[in-house]
């Protein structure tokens, strides 16, 4: 195995070890020593890749942000960006995805933010851009915003372990958040657009 491949393998082992520690013990137990023990590595090997715990957390956050961005892009590509309120649908789907993979994605994100709140600043800017895009495409911007943050609330409470809803309840609620026919303003716009399209084909 060449040096580049060996380095990449060690880096991935460190990330997976950090995720496992955060998921099992919480972010407060994440240390370079703990990562070394969890990953079966020497502390020197860990520090060769990451000089500090903060560097590990920053990489965790970057990986999770990239994961969500790729998922959102793939969702839009498969669902079609010409549907009603596609940006809203994609972001609701992202929240649903976050709680379906708690050990790899959600805990990494929460762990990084819990240990280093300063990382929130960049996320706030990114989130603000997403909210702006969702409101711009919506018939009722406030309703679209409420649907988005309802999805965020469901995801966050589930990731924190304080959600009392069953998996079936969560699935049903996410289905409803994604279904424009369940929301008067969106359903009305969908119906109006369909009538206009029908008239054009008559």
């Amino acid at each position: 195995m060449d040096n580049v491949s060996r380095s990449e393998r060690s880096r991935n082992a460190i990330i997976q070890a950090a995720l496992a520690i955060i998921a099992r013990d919480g972010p407060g137990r994440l240390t370079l020593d703990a990562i070394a023990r969890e990953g079966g590595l020497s502390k020197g090997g860990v520090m060769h890749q990451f000089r500090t715990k903060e560097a590990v957390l920053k990489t965790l956050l970057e990986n999770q942000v990239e994961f969500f961005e790729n998922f959102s892009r793939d969702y839009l590509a498969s669902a079609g960006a010409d549907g009603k309120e596609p940006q809203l649908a994609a972001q609701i789907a992202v929240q649903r995805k976050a709680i379906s993979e708690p050990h790899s994605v959600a805990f990494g994100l929460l762990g990084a933010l819990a240990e280093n709140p300063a990382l929130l600043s960049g996320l706030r800017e990114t989130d603000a851009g997403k909210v702006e895009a969702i409101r711009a495409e919506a018939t009722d911007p406030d309703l679209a915003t409420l649907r988005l943050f309802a999805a965020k609330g469901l995801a966050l409470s589930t990731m924190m372990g304080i959600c009392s809803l069953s998996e079936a309840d969560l699935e049903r609620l996410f289905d409803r958040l994604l279904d424009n026919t369940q929301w008067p303003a969106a359903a009305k716009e969908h119906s109006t657009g369909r009538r206009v399209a029908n008239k054009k084909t008559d």
Side-chain angles (χ1 to χ4, degrees):
M1 184 182 296
D2 59 50
N3 289 337
V4 174
S5 298
R6 187 178 298 108
S7 177
E8 187 64 25
R9 185 173 180 178
S10 295
R11 192 177 181 86
N12 288 337
I14 291 167
I15 293 301
Q16 292 308 311
L19 287 168
I21 293 166
I22 292 170
R24 185 185 63 240
D25 304 324
R29 297 294 183 90
L30 185 70
T31 65
L32 295 182
D33 285 322
I35 291 171
R37 287 193 300 272
E38 184 75 27
L41 304 163
S42 67
K43 185 175 180 180
V46 174
M47 293 186 70
H48 179 71
Q49 298 292 333
F50 299 98
R51 297 296 298 174
T52 64
K53 180 179 74 171
E54 287 68 30
V56 177
L57 290 168
K58 185 173 184 293
T59 298
L60 279 179
L61 182 61
E62 290 170 350
N63 285 355
Q64 308 321 321
V65 168
E66 182 181 6
F67 176 91
F68 286 126
E69 289 296 334
N70 289 338
F71 177 84
S72 177
R73 187 163 45 250
D74 291 344
Y75 183 92
L76 285 170
S78 62
D82 56 346
K84 177 62 183 169
E85 300 184 21
Q87 298 296 331
L88 173 60
Q91 292 310 308
I92 292 174
V94 162
Q95 300 306 314
R96 176 184 246 173
K97 181 67 173 176
I99 60 175
S100 73
E101 303 204 11
H103 295 292
S104 62
V105 178
F107 279 103
L109 183 58
L110 283 181
L113 296 179
E115 282 293 290
N116 192 347
L119 294 172
L120 282 170
S121 59
L123 288 182
R124 286 194 190 100
E125 294 178 7
T126 301
D127 187 68
K130 288 181 169 55
V131 172
E132 183 179 350
I134 286 169
R135 291 180 64 84
E137 73 179 7
T139 304
D140 184 335
D142 285 347
L143 177 60
T145 304
L146 284 169
R147 289 167 65 189
L148 171 65
F149 280 89
K152 285 176 176 282
L154 288 173
L156 185 59
S157 63
T158 301
M159 287 188 280
M160 293 177 66
I162 59 174
C163 182
S164 61
L165 299 173
S166 68
E167 288 187 15
D169 289 334
L170 288 169
E171 287 299 306
R172 186 180 69 257
L173 292 173
F174 272 108
D175 283 341
R176 183 165 186 178
L177 286 170
L178 283 165
D179 185 359
N180 282 325
T181 65
Q182 298 285 324
W183 307 95
K188 181 179 179 181
E189 178 67 17
H190 178 75
S191 176
T192 301
R194 188 168 52 195
R195 286 199 301 270
V196 170
N198 288 340
K199 284 182 180 180
K200 288 181 180 179
T201 59
D202 288 345

